[in-house]
Amino acid sequence: MRLHRSFGLATLAALLIGYTACLPAATVDFDSATISDLNQAFKTGTLTSEQLVQHCLARIETYDKQGPKINAVLTLNPKALETARALDAERKSKGPRSPLHGIPVLLKDNFDTFDMPTTGGSVLLENWVPKDDAYVVKKLRDAGAIILAKVNLSEFASGAAHSSLGGQTLNPHDLRRTPSGSSGGTGAGIAAAYAPLGLGTDTGGSIRGPATSNGIVGLKPTHGLLSRDGIIPLSLTFDTGGPMARSVYDVAVSLGIMTGVDPADPATQKSKGKSVTDYTRYLKADALKGARIGIARDFLGTDQDVDWVIESALESMRKAGATVVDVRFPKWLLDSKEDFYAAVRRPEFVVQIGEYLAATGAGYPKNLEQLIERSNEVRSLRPGGGGPNPVRWTLFKKEAESGKLDDYRYLSVRDYALPMVRTVVDGMLAAEKLDAIVYPTSPRRPTLISQDTPPPDVNSATNIANLTGYPDLIVPAGFTTDDLPVGMSFFGPAFSEPKLLALGYSFEQATRVRRLPVNTPALPDETVTVP
């Protein structure tokens, strides 16, 4: 495995400590190494957390601000190496805290961190440092994970993969294409192997779009499975954080670390007795055998290449022993789901962003009105990058005009339409005795950044998972003829993460299509030795 320039032959030799000739070993490309592989290397002494962090920093140095200039990273943790060294010493003296002990993590920059700025990607919150960590971030740190960097996002988690503070993030598979938003920095950073694990947030597809566009695994969990405390809100009726990684195993192992009922987030009460602390125990390569999978045909027909990949993926499922049946959503739901989403999302942001901003320090905006006022003062690009963000800041005004939380347009959707959508999905699953519904996460390949912002994918299913609050797992399914990744969504009922992860893992093992992007190739000697 390639090390930082300050390492020499002596350090390379030290990587072999603990290895014995009688113990069979394998050399694994770093890009293919799971967190389990990294833990085996830690255990045998062929790798330390300090070396792993050095390696991740080398990739960021090579690919983020130079070379292809992916531009995913907003802030590096200046204490990452110091923390890694301390965790290495703790591993020797006490053993690992968890499977995430010494594992670097990328955080979307809307998760609070007590030691680094949390900006939502906005120049309007530049340098704002919260007083404590978000609940799930503290869970990760307590488990021994290392917060390596805060990464770019669609500003305030909405709009294109662009922010006024960080500018445009690029897709490492094709630098002309969008990495999708809003967790585009996490998606691009994980695809480019800046770290083994990242966190995104999802309100209307913001984990799942970047997962499919960057060719990685991502999970939008059941609403309430993970606490949202300490995450800049977009719409708490729909908001959730979730893991993004290069394998289903890594998503599963990290998910269990973060679950738990949080008194600061009432939604987590729904997970009491339903959450799991170790989802890896459900991962079985033959989980598709005997499964009943519904293919949502409503979301095909936009892009011939995407359709071909999905049909090929379905055939792989059949060969693995699954029964695949066609299902369709009611036309009225397909026609109205975008309106349902906007009717709740926009007015909630007005109130909830004000509640979050109340905790910011002196000099920062305290409500949406002040965000609008100050955005009008930013008129040109800044020397260090960033600048005006007209798409997102224009949306501020639409949000401000969207009505109040006692408005009948909001209440009718929240209290009546959303339960109706859940009833429809539950009925579809029950009618065909389905284990999951699958569909192309995005019905078309990632669009060109140079194009005008495309209209919403009216035939995309992603926000149905938000309207219901149900989980949606994205697994790489293949590539288009111009070498762009296509993702498959595994969608199921509330708290069905064990089943979805099992099915997704089985599909991943049967297909194994994920690969390192062409614009961020392996560095020299980039391998990990595991027993």
Side-chain angles (χ1 to χ4, degrees):
M1 185 180 70
R2 183 186 186 275
L3 301 177
H4 195 266
R5 292 182 180 86
S6 61
F7 284 79
L9 292 177
T11 304
L12 287 172
L15 286 172
L16 300 176
I17 294 174
Y19 175 84
T20 59
C22 62
L23 185 67
T27 299
V28 179
D29 290 341
F30 172 73
D31 176 60
S32 302
T34 66
I35 290 174
S36 177
D37 293 327
L38 296 175
N39 274 298
Q40 288 299 312
F42 289 151
K43 184 177 180 180
T44 58
T46 61
L47 180 67
T48 67
S49 178
E50 181 180 4
Q51 292 161 352
L52 178 59
V53 169
Q54 288 276 21
H55 168 69
C56 292
L57 291 174
R59 290 193 63 83
I60 291 171
E61 179 185 355
T62 303
Y63 294 127
D64 205 62
K65 304 305 181 199
Q66 57 185 357
K69 298 182 179 179
I70 300 302
N71 196 36
V73 174
L74 288 177
T75 309
L76 284 172
N77 182 354
K79 294 187 176 180
L81 282 170
E82 176 185 334
T83 303
R85 285 190 288 269
L87 287 165
D88 284 335
E90 181 180 326
R91 179 185 294 275
K92 288 182 178 179
S93 63
K94 299 180 181 179
R97 302 182 194 180
S98 80
L100 296 188
H101 187 108
I103 299 296
V105 179
L106 304 179
L107 291 183
K108 184 178 182 180
D109 197 24
N110 59 350
F111 286 85
D112 282 357
T113 45
F114 77 90
D115 54 351
M116 301 169 68
T118 299
T119 69
S122 181
V123 296
L124 309 176
L125 290 184
E126 189 171 16
N127 298 322
W128 156 242
V129 180
K131 65 180 181 179
D132 54 18
D133 283 338
Y135 179 88
V136 294
V137 174
K138 185 177 187 302
K139 281 265 197 176
L140 290 173
R141 290 208 221 231
D142 288 347
I146 300 167
I147 307 307
L148 182 67
K150 305 291 287 290
V151 295
N152 202 17
L153 65 155
S154 304
E155 188 161 351
F156 288 104
S158 189
H162 180 98
S163 73
S164 62
L165 186 61
Q168 177 70 48
T169 296
L170 306 183
N171 188 321
H173 288 277
D174 184 337
L175 304 179
R176 303 167 303 163
R177 303 273 175 173
T178 177
S180 294
S182 63
S183 306
T186 311
I190 295 301
Y194 290 176
L197 177 65
L199 288 191
T201 60
D202 196 304
T203 306
S206 290
I207 286 173
R208 293 160 291 153
T212 190
S213 291
N214 293 283
I216 62 170
V217 180
L219 174 68
K220 185 210 86 68
T222 302
H223 189 267
L225 182 63
L226 299 183
S227 171
R228 287 90 40 83
D229 179 57
I231 301 174
I232 299 176
L234 183 61
S235 171
L236 290 175
T237 293
F238 303 138
D239 288 348
T240 181
M244 303 170 73
R246 297 193 300 270
S247 69
V248 174
Y249 176 89
D250 290 357
V251 163
V253 74
S254 60
L255 181 65
I257 297 292
M258 296 186 287
T259 59
V261 174
D262 177 13
D265 183 0
T268 59
Q269 290 292 333
K270 294 185 292 186
S271 73
K272 191 173 183 178
K274 298 176 182 177
S275 65
V276 175
T277 57
D278 180 12
Y279 288 91
T280 64
R281 71 177 190 257
Y282 299 102
L283 305 184
K284 294 179 172 57
D286 63 350
L288 280 167
K289 187 176 182 180
R292 287 184 61 81
I293 305 295
I295 170 62
R297 292 281 172 192
D298 308 284
F299 310 112
L300 296 168
T302 299
D303 185 321
Q304 181 175 332
D305 277 25
V306 171
D307 291 354
W308 187 90
V309 170
I310 296 302
E311 295 294 354
S312 176
L314 294 175
E315 188 58 31
S316 295
M317 292 184 192
R318 295 185 186 98
K319 289 180 178 178
T323 298
V324 179
V325 298
D326 289 358
V327 296
R328 292 191 178 273
F329 285 83
K331 185 177 184 301
W332 63 262
L333 175 55
L334 300 178
D335 292 342
S336 60
K337 62 187 178 65
E338 296 291 339
D339 291 333
F340 289 168
Y341 175 75
V344 173
R345 210 248 347 121
R346 291 184 180 180
E348 285 197 350
F349 178 75
V350 178
V351 174
Q352 292 161 6
I353 193 59
E355 293 171 348
Y356 179 88
L357 292 173
T360 59
Y364 289 100
K366 294 295 181 285
N367 51 48
L368 181 58
E369 181 180 356
Q370 291 182 15
L371 289 174
I372 293 172
E373 178 183 337
R374 297 192 188 189
S375 69
N376 289 330
E377 299 172 1
V378 182
R379 301 181 182 90
S380 62
L381 295 175
R382 304 180 347 157
N389 189 3
V391 172
R392 182 62 183 98
W393 292 350
T394 298
L395 183 53
F396 280 164
K397 298 176 182 179
K398 294 180 181 179
E399 290 160 340
E401 299 166 355
S402 62
K404 299 184 181 298
L405 298 188
D406 59 359
D407 190 303
Y408 72 91
R409 292 169 295 180
Y410 168 78
L411 293 173
S412 60
V413 174
R414 188 197 68 180
D415 296 345
Y416 297 99
L418 299 188
M420 183 168 60
V421 175
R422 287 193 289 271
T423 300
V424 167
V425 172
D426 290 343
M428 292 173 64
L429 291 163
E432 293 288 349
K433 298 181 173 59
L434 299 177
D435 293 290
I437 294 172
V438 299
Y439 63 93
T441 310
S442 176
R444 62 185 175 197
R445 71 196 76 190
T447 56
L448 292 167
I449 294 170
S450 60
Q451 291 178 340
D452 292 336
T453 302
D457 284 319
V458 293
N459 61 340
S460 171
T462 51
N463 63 13
I464 293 178
N466 301 99
L467 296 175
T468 58
Y470 292 173
D472 199 7
L473 173 71
I474 284 62
V475 182
F479 288 81
T480 62
T481 51
D482 48 353
D483 213 27
L484 295 169
V486 176
M488 173 78 85
S489 281
F490 291 78
F491 176 51
F495 301 104
S496 63
E497 280 83 357
K499 173 65 73 174
L500 297 185
L501 288 164
L503 295 172
Y505 180 78
S506 183
F507 174 70
E508 174 190 61
Q509 298 305 300
T511 54
R512 294 184 179 273
V513 298
R514 191 204 60 80
R515 60 176 180 256
L516 192 63
V518 294
N519 290 293
T520 55
L523 298 175
D525 302 319
E526 196 168 74
T527 57
V528 177
T529 300
V530 296

